Amino acid sequence: DDFPGRAIGQVVGIDAFLLAESYAFPLLVDPTNCAGDFNADQVRNLYDLLLLLVHFGESTSGGGNVAPATLDLDSDGMISTSDLLGLLTVWGVPC
C-alpha cells in the first residue's frame, strides 16, 4: 500500500488543478451585472455551468478548497443545488 504517496498526490493534484483553473478561467466576474455569467461572455451557457460544477459542494470561505464567491448565486456560503438551479433559471439568456 502506498498511502503516503497517494496522500501527497491528492494534495499536489488539487493544487495543480486549482492553478490550471486560474489560467483557464481568468475572467470570473462580479455576477451583479449578469448573474450566472461567470466567464463574462455575455450569455449563461455551458462554460458557466462547468465553472459552477467544478466548485460544486465547496465553501466560499474557510480553508481547503475555496470556491470563488461569484459562483455563490444565493450567497449562502456554499456552491450547492440552489446555485445550480439559479443558473438554470437564466440558462441561455443573454446579458
Side-chain angles (χ1 to χ4, degrees):
D1 185 30
D2 185 28
F3 176 74
R6 282 186 286 122
I8 291 170
Q10 288 174 342
V11 172
V12 171
I14 290 171
D15 289 342
F17 175 79
L18 294 174
L19 178 64
E21 180 187 46
S22 70
Y23 287 104
F25 302 112
L27 297 175
L28 286 175
V29 296
D30 182 3
T32 55
N33 294 328
C34 186
D37 182 22
F38 307 124
N39 65 347
D41 65 356
Q42 299 303 304
V43 68
R44 291 80 162 214
N45 56 20
L46 178 63
Y47 303 109
D48 302 303
L49 176 62
L50 291 175
L51 279 170
L52 189 134
L53 292 178
V54 162
H55 294 285
F56 194 83
E58 294 179 6
S59 172
T60 57
S61 62
N65 294 339
V66 178
T70 55
L71 298 173
D72 187 14
L73 296 176
D74 63 354
S75 301
D76 68 350
M78 290 291 296
I79 307 305
S80 60
T81 306
S82 58
D83 302 306
L84 175 60
L85 292 175
L87 176 59
L88 294 178
T89 300
V90 294
W91 183 263
V93 176
C95 296

